[in-house]
């Protein structure tokens, strides 16, 4: 993957963590007493998942499908057992430029990220490095104006800091079955990017489907040396 895609993925995962909220004592449901479905999916991989059976914390004997929000036990429990789980989940759907807000698959609330254009110029001081400025547009869609404003402010605050670019060529946080990739190193940072400029607009709504969706747009120029 090239640097553009790595920046987009780094933004994706950092926004997912930023927009994660805690769910406490979620009562998981099961029909076979092996696989227990949580209320939410897209579970945060950077925060602890605490599984409790009949009020007692269980440290082993199960795996978590973070993508689909499922706890899979190694040995079946019984109908009398109650499973509760504490976890963080992202309550916003995050999309890239391949998505369209008017399609049925586009679920709200949502954040969409896509690259606009790229400017490249030689790095000063005669180094072999290259300075690139990449423009990204981040759109926020919400069913409530207050939520849109809060999320927009949080994203802008994130962009105002230094953003580490992870080398996802070396792997991803999750395996194909949704479980944690134990070999993934969250600190495999290849470089950092800083916002050269941030412009955003809150306001207006989109009449899509049954409800108007409140909308904001953030345009950020990210400077990176590679």
């Amino acid at each position: 993957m090239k640097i553009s895609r790595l920046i987009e993925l780094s933004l994706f995962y950092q926004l997912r963590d930023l927009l994660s909220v805690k769910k406490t004592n979620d009562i998981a449901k099961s029909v076979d007493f092996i696989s227990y479905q949580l209320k939410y999916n897209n579970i945060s991989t950077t925060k602890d998942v605490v599984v409790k059976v009949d009020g007692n914390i269980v440290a082993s004997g199960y795996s978590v499908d973070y993508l689909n929000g499922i706890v899979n036990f190694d040995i079946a429990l019984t109908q009398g057992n109650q499973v509760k789980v504490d976890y963080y989940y992202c309550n916003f759907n995050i999309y890239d430029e391949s998505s369209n807000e008017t399609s049925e698959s586009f679920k709200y609330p949502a954040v969409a990220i896509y690259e606009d254009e790229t400017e490249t110029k030689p790095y000063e001081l005669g180094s072999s490095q290259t300075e690139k400025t990449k423009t990204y547009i981040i759109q926020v869609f919400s069913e409530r104006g207050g939520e849109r404003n809060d999320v927009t402010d949080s994203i802008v605050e994130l962009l105002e800091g230094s953003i580490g670019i992870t080398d996802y060529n070396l792997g991803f946080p999750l395996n194909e079955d949704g479980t944690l990739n134990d070999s993934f190193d969250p600190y495999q940072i290849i470089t950092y990017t800083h916002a050269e400029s941030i412009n955003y607009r809150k306001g207006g709504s989109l009449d899509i489907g049954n409800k108007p969706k409140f909308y904001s747009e953030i345009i950020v120029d990210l400077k990176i040396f590679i």
Side-chain angles (χ1 to χ4, degrees):
M1 287 179 284
K2 295 184 178 180
I3 190 65
S4 296
R5 182 58 176 158
L6 296 179
I7 293 174
E8 188 176 303
L9 285 170
S10 296
L11 287 172
F12 173 91
Y13 283 108
Q14 291 189 47
L15 286 176
R16 192 172 69 172
D17 277 346
L18 176 72
L19 301 177
S20 291
V21 296
K22 188 173 185 179
K23 177 66 177 175
T24 303
N25 288 327
D26 185 8
I27 300 177
K29 308 294 184 182
S30 179
V31 295
D32 59 9
F33 310 115
I34 292 179
S35 297
Y36 284 77
Q37 181 70 57
L38 304 176
K39 184 175 181 179
Y40 301 103
N41 54 17
N42 290 326
I43 309 302
S44 173
T45 61
T46 61
K47 299 179 176 65
D48 290 336
V49 174
V50 179
V51 177
K52 293 166 281 188
V53 177
D54 299 331
N56 299 310
I57 295 177
V58 179
S60 60
Y62 65 88
S63 62
V64 178
D65 179 345
Y66 288 78
L67 185 62
N68 298 299
I70 300 173
V71 177
N72 294 302
F73 285 90
D74 298 342
I75 300 175
L77 303 182
T78 68
Q79 186 175 4
N81 293 130
Q82 184 181 64
V83 176
K84 293 183 178 181
V85 185
D86 300 340
Y87 58 94
Y88 287 81
Y89 70 97
C90 184
N91 63 340
F92 267 71
N93 298 288
I94 303 179
Y95 299 99
D96 60 19
E97 59 186 0
S98 64
S99 302
N100 188 320
E101 66 269 15
T102 61
S103 69
E104 293 184 0
S105 62
F106 197 96
K107 304 299 182 183
Y108 296 89
V111 172
I113 311 167
Y114 62 93
E115 183 184 359
D116 187 28
E117 60 185 44
T118 299
E119 175 188 351
T120 304
K121 58 184 179 180
Y123 177 59
E124 297 176 0
L125 304 179
S127 169
S128 60
Q129 286 184 304
T130 299
E131 176 190 281
K132 289 188 176 182
T133 300
K134 293 185 171 293
T135 301
Y136 286 85
I137 298 175
I138 301 175
Q139 298 169 324
V140 178
F141 302 87
S142 178
E143 295 181 352
R144 299 190 302 275
E147 180 182 57
R148 174 207 56 197
N149 294 342
D150 290 343
V151 169
T152 301
D153 290 341
S154 295
I155 294 175
V156 169
E157 185 176 350
L158 172 69
L159 295 171
E160 288 174 339
S162 177
I163 298 175
I165 306 304
T166 301
D167 189 358
Y168 291 104
N169 290 304
L170 302 177
F172 288 88
L174 297 178
N175 299 310
E176 291 184 0
D177 62 358
T179 58
L180 283 180
N181 178 5
D182 292 333
S183 64
F184 176 74
D185 180 4
Y187 300 103
Q188 53 195 34
I189 306 295
I190 57 174
T191 189
Y192 290 86
T193 184
H194 304 270
E196 192 172 57
S197 67
I198 303 174
N199 297 286
Y200 61 96
R201 176 180 62 86
K202 305 175 193 173
S205 62
L206 302 175
D207 190 5
I208 302 173
N210 297 325
K211 297 180 181 179
K213 304 302 187 294
F214 291 91
Y215 170 82
S216 68
E217 183 176 81
I218 304 166
I219 302 176
V220 56
D221 292 330
L222 294 176
K223 180 177 289 187
I224 184 171
F225 296 102
I226 57 174

